[in-house]
């Protein structure tokens, strides 16, 4: 089998990410709690020590991302109420992102602002929040987006108390230089390189999967690593309309590789997940279930008015992480 580097979850933050990814893959819409001993064994599949695994569980519970129960000397963890709906929504977004570029009406959302030097912390926060909204800086105080995100931008301005700002929806007057076009705000070269690297890394694995040369333990590790590797693209890609993308844009190829591997490894990965849980509770292990792109689409269509509203600990934690990653210190 071609070598695929697995995620090295050696610190607490990455152990937490792996644990939430595992539960988000095989345990959503389950009320039952999983004993901590079983979760320790699951994380051991990725080379995480028992001490680090238990610390990750405690931290996730303290942040409200896991619920905890105790029976005698057994501590168990589960998914909080309403988190399953959020997981479905985020998984659907992850699996469908990149399949097609958004439609465009030719209008840009333009945000011009002026923040005094003494309020540099507000200015830094504003810039990070705009990056999360998929804006990019054309000039220092002029940010642009091809998406209709003016209302969201206005809400950020009001929240931060920035009054010296103007939000517009407008079209570009033809004939200007390429350097002054709103398109110039988006440097897609680093992102294109990331997509090509992703495809080059995982295409050999797809061949191994299709040849039936992946076992259950490998499937669990590889599918989880694949999910972790892909998840940042829907959060960092500005998702430009097709008219603004280069002709050789590599995202569709990467997206196809991702979905094919994710779907095909699902049954084997579920088998290993069940095997690990069965060491602690065979009846509990029988409840584990994987989902693929088709079943996630069905679950998403059935959410109705149970869509995410941004008020669960999971959503707040995700928003805080994205904001931290968009801040200058992390760039």
């Amino acid at each position: 089998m071609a070598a695929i580097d697995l995620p090295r979850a050696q610190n607490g933050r990455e152990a937490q990410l792996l644990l939430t990814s595992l539960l988000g893959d095989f345990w959503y819409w389950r009320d039952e709690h999983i004993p901590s001993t079983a979760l320790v064994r699951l994380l051991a599949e990725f080379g995480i020590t028992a001490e680090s695994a238990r610390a990750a569980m405690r931290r996730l519970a303290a942040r409200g991302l896991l619920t905890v129960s105790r029976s005698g000397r057994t501590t168990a963890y589960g998914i909080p109420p309403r988190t399953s709906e959020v997981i479905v929504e985020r998984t659907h977004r992850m699996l469908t992102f990149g399949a097609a570029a958004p439609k465009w009406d030719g209008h840009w959302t333009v945000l011009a602002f002026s923040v005094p030097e003494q309020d540099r912390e507000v200015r830094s926060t504003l810039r990070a929040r705009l990056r999360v909204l998929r804006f990019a800086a054309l000039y220092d105080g002029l940010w642009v987006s091809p998406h209709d995100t003016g209302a969201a931008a206005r809400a950020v301005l009001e929240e931060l108390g920035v009054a010296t700002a103007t939000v517009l929806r407008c079209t570009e007057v033809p004939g200007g230089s390429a350097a002054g076009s709103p398109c110039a705000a988006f440097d897609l070269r680093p992102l294109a390189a990331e997509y090509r690297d992703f495809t080059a890394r995982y295409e050999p694995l797809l061949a191994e999967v299709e040849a039936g040369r992946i076992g259950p333990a490998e499937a669990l590790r590889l599918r989880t690593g694949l999910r972790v590797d892909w998840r940042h693209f829907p959060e960092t890609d500005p998702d430009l309309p097709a008219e603004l993308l280069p002709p050789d844009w590599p995202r569709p190829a990467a997206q196809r590789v991702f979905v094919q591997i994710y779907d095909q490894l699902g049954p084997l990965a579920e088998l290993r997940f069940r095997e690990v849980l069965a060491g602690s509770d065979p009846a509990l292990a029988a409840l584990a279930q994987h989902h693929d792109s088709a079943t996630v689409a069905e679950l998403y269509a059935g959410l109705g008015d149970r869509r995410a509203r941004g008020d669960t600990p999971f959503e707040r934690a995700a928003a805080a992480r994205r904001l931290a990653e968009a801040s200058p210190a992390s760039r």
Side-chain angles (χ1 to χ4, degrees):
M1 170 183 158
I4 300 290
D5 293 330
L6 294 172
R8 301 304 180 194
Q10 300 302 321
N11 62 49
R13 181 181 176 187
E14 291 183 352
Q16 293 175 58
L17 172 59
L18 278 174
L19 182 53
T20 54
S21 294
L22 285 164
L23 295 177
D25 234 357
F26 303 101
W27 205 250
Y28 54 90
W29 262 312
R30 301 265 21 132
D31 295 327
E32 298 83 359
H33 284 193
I34 299 176
S36 59
T37 52
L39 295 178
V40 166
R41 293 191 186 101
L42 276 172
L43 290 176
E45 299 281 301
F46 300 85
I48 297 177
T49 66
E51 181 181 359
S52 296
R54 293 186 186 281
M57 293 175 221
R58 290 193 297 269
R59 288 169 184 150
L60 288 169
R63 295 164 59 199
L65 301 180
L66 291 179
T67 52
V68 59
S69 61
R70 292 178 178 83
S71 177
R73 300 181 63 181
T74 299
T75 301
Y77 295 89
I79 292 179
R82 292 183 49 223
T83 299
S84 293
E85 288 83 354
V86 178
I87 292 172
V88 168
E89 204 162 310
R90 288 174 63 86
T91 303
H92 181 262
R93 168 68 171 164
M94 179 184 69
L95 289 168
T96 58
F97 180 78
K103 296 186 182 301
W104 192 38
D105 61 3
H107 286 74
W108 292 88
T109 302
V110 178
L111 171 59
F113 63 87
S114 176
V115 179
E117 177 63 24
Q118 61 267 27
D119 294 332
R120 62 174 65 95
E121 186 174 339
V122 171
R123 184 170 55 196
S124 178
T125 300
L126 174 58
R127 289 169 174 168
R129 295 283 292 274
L130 291 176
R131 291 188 191 100
V132 171
L133 291 176
R134 303 183 192 280
F135 279 84
L138 183 58
Y139 307 115
D140 184 50
L142 186 70
W143 290 59
V144 296
S145 169
H147 306 293
D148 189 2
T149 50
R154 175 62 67 191
V156 169
L157 292 168
E158 292 177 359
E159 181 182 339
L160 297 178
V162 178
T164 51
T166 303
V167 182
L168 304 171
R169 283 286 288 170
C170 54
T171 58
E172 180 184 5
V173 176
S177 67
S181 169
C183 296
F186 299 91
D187 182 4
L188 298 178
R189 290 171 297 179
L191 183 60
E194 287 187 56
Y195 278 124
R196 291 191 179 98
D197 287 347
F198 182 94
T199 303
R201 182 183 183 194
Y202 280 105
E203 266 187 334
L205 173 60
L206 179 58
E208 297 292 317
V209 172
E210 292 177 339
R213 290 194 285 265
I214 304 296
E218 286 178 307
L220 179 64
R221 292 193 299 269
L222 291 168
R223 190 176 195 251
T224 305
L226 176 82
R227 180 185 175 112
V228 169
D229 281 353
W230 179 262
R231 75 173 181 90
H232 86 105
F233 287 121
E235 297 180 350
T236 58
D237 187 328
D239 200 16
L240 299 181
E243 295 91 332
L244 305 180
L245 293 173
D248 59 345
W249 186 233
R251 184 177 66 188
Q255 196 268 348
R256 285 193 295 271
V257 169
F258 165 66
V259 173
Q260 288 174 3
I261 296 175
Y262 186 85
D263 282 356
Q264 293 183 53
L265 284 183
L268 282 172
E270 177 191 306
L271 177 60
R272 182 56 181 167
F273 190 96
R274 290 185 178 215
E275 288 174 349
V276 174
L277 259 63
S280 299
D281 190 328
L284 204 61
L287 302 176
Q289 182 181 7
H290 81 281
H291 296 280
D292 58 23
S293 55
T295 60
V296 168
E298 292 176 5
L299 292 170
Y300 178 77
L303 284 179
D305 60 0
R306 295 176 297 166
R307 296 285 173 86
R309 297 193 294 270
D311 59 347
T312 65
F314 189 93
E315 292 167 276
R316 290 194 293 268
R321 175 179 51 75
R322 287 189 65 193
L323 185 58
E325 291 174 351
S327 66
S330 65
R331 295 177 66 84

